[in-house]
Amino acid sequence: MADRPTTAASLAATLAASRRSRGLLVLVLLGVLGLLPSCGKALMDPDKPRSQFDRFDAIREQRSPSTVDDEFGMRRINVRGRLLPKD
């Protein structure tokens, strides 16, 4: 009978370790799945036309730049410049 509590205690310890390792595995998998989209293609390809008037603007050298530098010196996509009407 003395072996029974030891066996139950070791079984409980084994189950707890199994739960911890399973939880760690789930966290690692979620981290990897969270990083995968950052390896994808760019949202706005610079070679593709941006609108139906883009070729017209490009021929006349009035195409807005694809990126701009903000006030902090960071390069950002020029969404506003692409969507606003030309002067």
Side-chain angles (χ1 to χ4, degrees):
M1 289 270 210
D3 291 338
R4 208 66 76 206
T6 307
T7 306
S10 67
L11 181 62
T14 304
L15 286 175
S18 174
R19 282 189 206 128
R20 271 185 261 133
S21 64
R22 192 176 316 148
L24 182 62
L25 179 65
V26 167
L27 284 176
V28 168
L29 285 176
L30 286 176
V32 168
L33 289 176
L35 292 175
L36 281 179
S38 63
C39 299
K41 292 179 8 181
L43 291 176
M44 296 185 174
D45 189 12
D47 298 331
K48 289 190 178 180
R50 301 173 194 163
S51 70
Q52 66 266 32
F53 306 110
D54 186 53
R55 196 169 89 184
F56 178 85
D57 291 337
I59 290 170
R60 285 156 184 81
E61 296 182 7
Q62 297 175 349
R63 189 177 198 183
S64 61
S66 59
T67 59
V68 292
D69 294 334
D70 65 3
E71 60 271 6
F72 302 110
M74 300 290 294
R75 187 162 283 228
R76 305 266 181 205
I77 296 174
N78 188 17
V79 175
R80 181 172 290 152
R82 292 179 181 186
L83 297 176
L84 287 176
K86 303 286 183 201
D87 290 332

